[in-house]
Amino acid sequence: MLDFSLSNKETDIIEKYRDFTERWFKPNALKYDKLAEFPWEVVKAAYDEKIMNGPMPEKFGGNGFSLYEGALASEEMGAGCIGIGICIDASTLALTPLFLAANEKQQKKWFGRIVEDKGVAAYCLTEPNAGSDVAGIKSAAIKHGDKYILNGHKRFITNAEVSSFMTVFALTEPDRGARSLTAFVVPSDAPGIEIKPRLQKMGQKASVQNELIFTDVEIPAENKLGEEGHGFLIAMKTFDRTRTGVAALSVGGARSAYEVSRDWAKKRIQFGQPIASQQGVAFMLADMATDVEVARLITHKAAWAYDTQQKGFSLLSAMSKLRASDIAMKVATDAVQVMAGDGYSTDFGIEKIMRDVKLCQIYEGTNQVQRVVISKAILK
Ligand SMILES: Cc1cc2nc3c(=O)[nH]c(=O)nc-3n(C[C@H](O)[C@H](O)[C@H](O)COP(=O)(O)OP(=O)(O)OC[C@H]3O[C@@H](n4cnc5c(N)ncnc54)[C@H](O)[C@@H]3O)c2cc1C
């Protein structure tokens, strides 16, 4: 029989992350939204309380979460503050190529380094001329003896300026294009890396992004992840895992927007009664509650499909990111509408959720790109 109940371990994960986000995310959400600074104090506390590096193996200091367990954790982080949550989840994104393709020695070294630093990593795929079209990457890492020499230009790289190291995708044989795309680990303080000023942006302001210029950066050959030419596959396999994380953050953001606006509507009196007793408002709240359930269900199904390696898990991963982030955008927009002036003001953090969830429709492949992935799969 189909069973949606939670195990003790899953309940503990939710409670642990909810407790942490109540103490560290929610009280700091508006502060970091204003400051637009990386929330180091929260990340350090997250290390102290074993919140960081959820999916990383336990033997290397992570939590060894399945994707489903990671989704439970990410929903709580999204409900607390998507901007702070993505500082943690973007590091997980950067560690995923190591998780998928690194050998034992590399995992020991780099997972060990991130835990020792109580730090974060950055995932470097996007370039000025290669956004949705990953095959357009031009950065090149050319082999010279026991080193690769990296030259190129990346942009929109989350955590770049605060990272301990980066996972960088570059061509080893530019003539062969994306067929030679290869993944490397590069320490962020390696000579030849120029980190440009931080991106100014609409939402998720606690998280920082930079453009990067690589000029003759030396990468020891032992920092190559997997084989030369396997980079495209590693990047796509990474997204198969991490898109459910974006979906789960979106569910959390939607849940918060719904709950805050529901509670507000129960208290706000107009025409002599709570605004929630007006059917026009109550029906909006009913749709929001239903949509949050829908978003969570598809996210959990995608995570389960990955964990149990069901056929089509990749398709479900794209569907979960698409639907959950679209729902989050709609729910957050409706929450602003329910709360009207108070929703639009910065006092309740609802307009912030609306700005934050917008980005979930854009990164890790825009929602148009998810539709490209889904339509190709269902029409082939
Ligand atoms: C705040 C932020 C953080 C980010 N963090 C990272 C990170 O850590 N690492 C990283 O590597 N990248 C990161 N990115 C990059 C992000 O993944 C890209 O912005 C995204 O993939 C889209 O690329 P683009 O912005 O170049 O848009 P473009 O690819 O130029 O797309 C422009 C528009 O065209 C549409 N479009 C493109 N191709 C198609 C198509 N075939 N069919 C239909 N529509 C299409 C898109 O959906 C979009 O609406 C981040 C971006 C932002 C804004």
Side-chain angles (χ1 to χ4, degrees):
M1 197 175 80
L2 193 58
D3 183 1
F4 290 107
S5 56
L6 296 163
S7 68
N8 289 342
K9 185 181 176 203
E10 289 152 2
T11 306
D12 287 349
I13 290 170
I14 293 174
E15 282 175 2
K16 180 177 168 181
Y17 277 77
R18 190 169 295 175
D19 171 60
F20 185 84
T21 55
E22 289 289 337
R23 285 182 291 115
W24 282 100
F25 279 42
K26 286 191 179 170
N28 285 310
L30 293 178
K31 175 175 113 183
Y32 282 100
D33 184 55
K34 276 209 183 79
L35 279 177
E37 290 284 343
F38 186 82
W40 270 121
E41 55 173 340
V42 182
V43 170
K44 299 291 180 200
Y47 266 102
D48 293 342
E49 299 194 28
K50 270 192 99 26
I51 292 291
M52 292 297 293
N53 306 321
M56 210 167 79
E58 283 178 286
K59 66 176 172 180
F60 297 123
N63 285 324
F65 284 165
S66 65
L67 225 54
Y68 177 56
E69 292 164 344
L72 298 177
S74 287
E75 178 178 331
E76 294 311 317
M77 293 199 284
C81 172
I82 298 182
I84 299 176
I86 197 63
C87 298
I88 294 173
D89 274 0
S91 185
T92 297
L93 165 72
L95 296 176
T96 301
L98 279 142
F99 184 75
L100 293 171
N103 58 39
E104 177 90 9
K105 194 173 156 204
Q106 290 172 320
Q107 288 192 347
K108 193 164 177 226
K109 175 171 177 180
W110 296 107
F111 288 153
R113 167 86 187 269
I114 209 82
V115 173
E116 195 185 311
D117 286 1
K118 290 192 174 180
V120 292
Y123 182 82
C124 307
L125 188 70
T126 304
E127 300 188 355
N129 293 314
S132 300
D133 183 10
V134 174
I137 284 179
K138 291 276 182 283
S139 290
I142 308 298
K143 193 155 192 208
H144 290 276
D146 59 357
K147 290 183 187 115
Y148 289 84
I149 307 295
L150 172 66
N151 283 282
H153 187 175
K154 298 283 176 185
R155 73 164 177 166
F156 297 144
I157 304 306
T158 301
N159 288 345
E161 67 177 67
V162 290
S163 60
S164 296
F165 58 83
M166 309 173 176
T167 40
V168 179
F169 292 83
L171 308 176
T172 48
E173 294 173 65
D175 293 347
R176 294 183 64 230
R179 276 173 297 158
S180 78
L181 195 67
T182 305
F184 299 91
V185 185
V186 183
S188 304
D189 58 0
I193 302 181
E194 185 191 349
I195 301 180
K196 296 276 196 186
R198 145 182 341 164
L199 179 75
Q200 303 297 312
K201 62 187 195 298
M202 178 196 276
Q204 300 193 18
K205 291 191 179 192
S207 109
V208 296
Q209 284 75 27
N210 309 84
E211 252 181 88
L212 298 169
I213 310 287
F214 300 119
T215 308
D216 293 334
V217 179
E218 292 189 6
I219 313 174
E222 65 190 32
N223 288 15
K224 175 170 60 68
L225 298 175
E227 302 297 318
E228 278 188 20
H230 287 194
F232 194 83
L233 196 64
I234 293 171
M236 295 306 123
K237 283 187 167 180
T238 295
F239 289 138
D240 282 343
R241 286 184 65 90
T242 57
R243 279 174 179 154
T244 51
V246 176
L249 282 175
S250 305
V251 176
R255 187 183 98 198
S256 256
Y258 156 67
E259 287 175 355
V260 171
S261 58
R262 176 199 61 197
D263 295 349
W264 182 95
K266 283 180 2 195
K267 289 195 192 120
R268 170 73 176 163
I269 308 288
Q270 286 293 280
F271 303 101
Q273 52 187 331
I275 209 80
S277 62
Q278 302 288 351
Q279 201 178 56
V281 173
F283 277 14
M284 280 175 85
L285 290 164
D287 282 341
M288 289 154 78
T290 308
D291 281 347
V292 171
E293 278 293 331
V294 169
R296 184 183 292 120
L297 275 175
I298 194 165
T299 302
H300 288 185
K301 182 166 181 191
W304 164 83
Y306 185 93
D307 287 335
T308 53
Q309 290 290 292
Q310 302 291 318
K311 201 167 159 233
F313 64 77
S314 181
L315 176 65
L316 273 164
S317 166
M319 286 175 167
S320 70
K321 195 265 184 192
L322 164 66
R323 187 54 72 234
S325 61
D326 278 359
I327 282 177
M329 193 64 224
K330 181 166 188 313
V331 169
T333 308
D334 286 350
V336 170
Q337 192 66 24
V338 165
M339 294 173 66
D342 279 339
Y344 199 73
S345 85
T346 55
D347 294 349
F348 289 82
I350 292 298
E351 58 79 40
K352 171 190 175 294
I353 298 177
M354 186 175 161
R355 287 185 282 109
D356 283 355
V357 295
K358 182 65 213 168
L359 186 53
C360 296
Q361 295 179 302
I362 293 173
Y363 55 27
E364 298 204 25
T366 66
N367 282 3
Q368 286 75 22
V369 165
Q370 307 309 321
R371 289 183 175 92
V372 171
V373 170
I374 296 163
S375 55
K376 271 189 185 156
I378 61 172
L379 298 173
K380 79 177 172 202

